[in-house]
């Protein structure tokens, strides 16, 4: 056990398992079920999936361990954790900026995440009311297009989702979500397996598998590699302090590395199963794998609409998707709320309202980007595209890079060993090596390569 005497003013998880559940709840979300399939589809499948898996192992896991470790050692909001740890290690106070970058990224991500979660809420209603029973691909497309064209409907669901998120955050994570997540995550997994079975029997299963797992390197671009790496951070909730703040509520005696591995495995499984359920349906119905953000909302209703018991399972699926998004969204705003509580001396409730209102307002930009502002573009991207690109592909990898450098280089060996308290010297050294050399190098190479700079530098 570490001899770190600090404790968090915000509380502590009641057991090791609660931390695993909460962190898995944060990791498993829209990223796995909505985003992963459509970006894999847009970037040609197999090769993209391979790069993504590589990034999970080489970059994601080491950074996850580092982020939990920093959080548990600092035991405060990410900004103050970086302040305390940099002082303790005799480093520049500028490391606090890492915390600020994270808080900003959390705001930006939640603002659009909430709008997409709103789509999922809308689909609960559509599913339950039988809109999709015996439907065709064309009809499913129309329902989706009509939703995006309706700013009022989008705003309504976005508002509802932000309120739901802030209510949980205001009550403290332990107040209710702990218990909900414990039941919901396994349930989501079971439904995914049912969908997988459906896809195996009724979809073009082999074609789907081939698309996902046969790497065709000519199908992937430099930008595709950047998106794969960005997604590794996004799907594991890394690079902005979410896992750091969750780590700050972790008990001192629990093993960080083993816990991190469990979270990473669970998250990756959910994404792969989602992909294996969705692509067979895509191919069997002559849909486009590169359909973009609407992909799951266009494929799954089709499958449910034809399945016996589809009304029930479909409704349940979208309810669970909402819950998966919910248990993720709270972690996006928790760093900002804890900072306000620590530094502005205001109550958690007040801090939650302030953060909620701000994110809600920003989210309106995403709502409008699908309709009234659809033609307003910067660098050829809509407001939503821009936020998504900036956060997932720039801010999170940058945050992760800084975390790796801080934990790998700025922190003394002694502090790290002390906090990790592991008897497995070989594993510790392996992790430290990845963190110092492999992770930073991988992130930098991907950055340079995607901007075309690497090609210029090597002539
Ligand atoms: N990982 C979540 C998902 O896949 C989203 C998320 C929650 C997140 N917290 C985060 C992404 C922090 C980046 C950083 O849906």
């Amino acid at each position: 056990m570490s001899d770190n005497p600090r404790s968090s003013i915000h509380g502590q998880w009641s057991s090791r398992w609660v931390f695993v559940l909460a962190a898995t709840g944060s990791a498993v979300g829209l990223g796995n079920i909505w985003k992963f399939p459509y970006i894999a589809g847009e970037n040609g499948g197999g090769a993209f999936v391979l790069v993504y898996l590589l990034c999970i192992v080489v970059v994601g896991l080491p950074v996850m361990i580092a982020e939990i470790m920093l959080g548990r050692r600092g035991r405060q909001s990410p900004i103050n954790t970086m302040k305390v740890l940099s002082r303790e290690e005799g480093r520049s106070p500028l490391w606090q900026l890492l915390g600020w970058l994270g808080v900003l990224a959390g705001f930006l991500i939640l603002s659009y995440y909430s709008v997409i979660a709103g789509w999922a809420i809308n689909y609960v209603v559509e599913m339950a009311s039988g809109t999709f029973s015996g439907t065709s691909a064309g009809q499913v497309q129309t329902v989706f297009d009509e939703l995006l064209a309706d700013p009022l409907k989008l705003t309504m669901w976005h508002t509802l989702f932000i309120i739901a998120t802030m209510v949980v955050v205001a009550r403290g994570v332990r107040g209710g979500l702990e218990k909900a997540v414990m039941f919901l995550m396994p349930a989501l997994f079971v439904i995914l397996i049912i969908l997988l079975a459906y896809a195996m029997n009724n979809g073009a299963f082999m074609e789907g598998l081939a698309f996902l797992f046969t790497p065709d390197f000519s199908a992937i671009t430099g930008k595709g590699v950047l998106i794969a790496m960005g997604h590794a951070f996004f799907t594991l909730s890394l690079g902005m302090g979410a896992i750091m703040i969750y780590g700050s509520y972790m008990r001192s005696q629990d093993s960080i590395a083993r816990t991190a591995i469990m979270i990473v495995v669970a998250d990756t499984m959910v994404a792969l199963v989602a992909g294996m359920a969705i692509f067979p349906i895509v191919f069997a119905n002559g849909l486009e794998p590169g359909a973009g953000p609407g992909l799951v909302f266009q494929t799954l209703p089709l499958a449910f609409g034809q399945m016996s018991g589809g009304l029930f399972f479909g409704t349940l699926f979208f309810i669970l998707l909402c819950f998966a998004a919910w248990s993720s969204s709270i972690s996006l705003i928790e760093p900002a709320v804890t900072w306000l509580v620590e530094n502005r001396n205001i109550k958690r409730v007040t801090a939650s309202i302030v953060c909620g209102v701000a994110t809600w307002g920003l989210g309106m930009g995403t709502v409008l980007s699908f309709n009234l502002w659809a033609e307003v573009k910067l660098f050829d991207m809509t407001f939503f595209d821009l936020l998504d690109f900036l956060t997932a592909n720039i801010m999170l990898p940058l945050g992760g890079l800084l975390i790796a450098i801080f934990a790998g280089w700025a922190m003394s060996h002694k502090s790290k060993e002390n906090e990790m308290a592991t008897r497995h010297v070989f594993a510790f050294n392996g992790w430290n090596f990845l963190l110092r050399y492999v992770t930073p190098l991988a992130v930098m190479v991907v950055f340079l390569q995607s901007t075309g700079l690497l090609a210029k530098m090597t002539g």
Side-chain angles (χ1 to χ4, degrees):
M1 198 201 299
S2 85
D3 61 5
N4 172 7
R6 280 188 282 267
S7 67
S8 172
I9 60 164
H10 310 287
Q12 195 176 68
W13 305 114
S14 34
S15 76
R16 169 167 179 236
W17 286 107
V18 173
F19 171 75
V20 174
L21 279 168
T24 307
S26 167
V28 175
L30 296 172
N32 306 63
I33 296 164
W34 159 73
K35 194 172 182 189
F36 171 71
Y38 95 73
I39 56 177
E42 282 182 337
N43 291 284
F48 177 89
V49 174
L50 195 69
V51 175
Y52 155 77
L53 291 174
L54 205 69
C55 289
I56 291 283
V57 176
V58 173
V59 181
L61 183 61
V63 171
M64 161 105 39
I65 295 174
E67 221 185 295
I68 300 174
M69 178 194 72
L70 296 180
R72 190 168 76 176
R73 197 155 182 83
R75 292 229 186 266
Q76 292 163 64
S77 67
I79 296 172
N80 289 326
T81 282
M82 290 315 295
K83 188 172 170 179
V84 166
L85 293 186
S86 56
R87 194 187 306 138
E88 191 171 272
E89 302 292 333
R91 304 292 173 180
S92 160
L94 281 177
W95 279 107
Q96 272 179 77
L97 288 177
L98 169 56
W100 284 106
L101 177 73
V103 166
L104 181 64
F107 263 113
L108 299 180
I109 297 175
L110 181 56
S111 79
Y112 70 81
Y113 200 83
S114 165
V115 177
I116 313 294
W119 298 358
I121 305 178
N122 184 71
Y123 272 67
V124 172
V125 179
E126 299 281 3
M127 267 289 162
S129 56
T131 307
F132 299 116
S133 301
T135 187
S136 71
Q139 283 164 312
V140 176
Q141 174 81 46
T142 308
V143 172
F144 183 70
D145 291 343
E146 278 174 5
L147 171 65
L148 294 205
D150 188 344
L152 272 179
K153 217 175 190 179
L154 292 176
T155 304
M156 187 171 83
W157 299 131
H158 163 56
T159 310
L160 182 65
F161 188 79
I162 289 282
I163 292 174
T165 300
M166 297 331 292
V167 165
V168 175
V169 176
R171 301 184 55 166
V173 183
R174 222 169 162 176
L177 219 92
E178 244 187 56
K179 292 178 204 84
V181 167
M182 226 174 294
F183 161 73
L184 294 166
M185 301 323 289
L188 180 72
F189 208 70
V190 171
I191 301 256
L192 271 177
I193 301 285
I194 294 175
L195 263 179
L196 182 64
Y198 172 84
M200 279 176 165
N201 292 316
N202 304 286
F205 194 63
M206 283 307 155
E207 208 179 326
L209 278 195
F211 180 76
L212 270 179
F213 297 111
T214 315
D216 167 11
F217 287 99
S218 66
I220 193 166
T221 58
K223 195 170 159 207
V225 173
L226 179 68
I227 293 174
M229 180 181 73
H231 188 65
F233 284 99
F234 186 91
T235 191
L236 294 174
S237 302
L238 296 176
M240 55 74 56
I243 291 295
M244 205 185 281
I245 193 77
Y246 276 20
S248 78
Y249 308 146
M250 189 187 190
R251 301 183 311 174
S252 303
Q253 66 266 39
D254 297 336
S255 159
I256 293 178
R258 237 183 311 153
T259 318
I261 291 172
M262 280 191 271
I263 301 163
V264 169
V265 170
D267 185 80
T268 308
M269 297 268 293
V270 173
L272 293 180
V273 171
M276 289 191 286
I278 285 163
F279 285 107
I281 302 171
V282 169
F283 292 118
N285 292 283
L287 300 169
E288 209 22 76
L295 190 65
V296 290
F297 295 96
Q298 289 161 22
T299 49
L300 296 189
L302 200 57
F304 287 124
Q306 293 160 1
M307 201 185 290
S308 63
L311 195 76
F312 174 76
F313 285 120
T315 307
L316 196 58
F317 173 82
F318 282 106
I319 290 176
L320 292 171
L321 186 57
C322 292
F323 279 110
W326 195 9
S327 63
S328 298
S329 62
I330 52 173
S331 70
L332 283 163
I333 205 69
E334 179 77 5
V337 169
T338 48
W339 182 81
L340 282 175
V341 171
E342 287 166 10
N343 288 51
R344 290 285 169 268
N345 199 20
I346 55 179
K347 286 205 216 70
R348 206 176 228 280
V349 177
T350 322
S352 303
I353 294 173
V354 171
C355 292
V357 170
T359 351
W360 179 85
L362 192 63
M364 289 310 294
T366 293
V367 163
L368 296 175
S369 76
F370 294 112
N371 35 69
L372 301 179
W373 293 357
E375 296 313 318
V376 183
K377 289 187 180 172
L378 194 65
F379 307 118
D380 206 29
M381 287 186 269
T382 64
F383 187 81
F384 160 70
D385 295 332
L386 196 66
L387 274 194
D388 174 36
F389 189 81
L390 186 70
T391 52
N393 302 333
I394 311 286
M395 295 174 86
L396 297 181
L398 185 62
L401 175 67
L402 292 175
I403 288 169
I405 294 175
F406 187 84
W409 296 93
M411 218 169 161
S412 76
H413 209 76
K414 194 162 154 285
S415 315
K416 271 185 278 189
E417 264 177 348
N418 183 275
E419 195 58 47
M420 297 294 288
T422 178
R423 277 164 282 115
H424 307 284
V425 179
F426 184 73
F428 178 88
N429 288 335
W431 165 70
N432 204 28
F433 178 82
L434 283 175
L435 206 59
R436 293 180 77 136
Y437 301 99
V438 184
T439 307
L441 207 70
V443 175
M444 284 192 284
V445 166
V446 173
F447 268 148
L448 290 177
Q449 171 259 15
S450 64
T451 54
L453 271 176
L454 201 66
K456 275 186 211 118
M457 276 157 57
T458 54

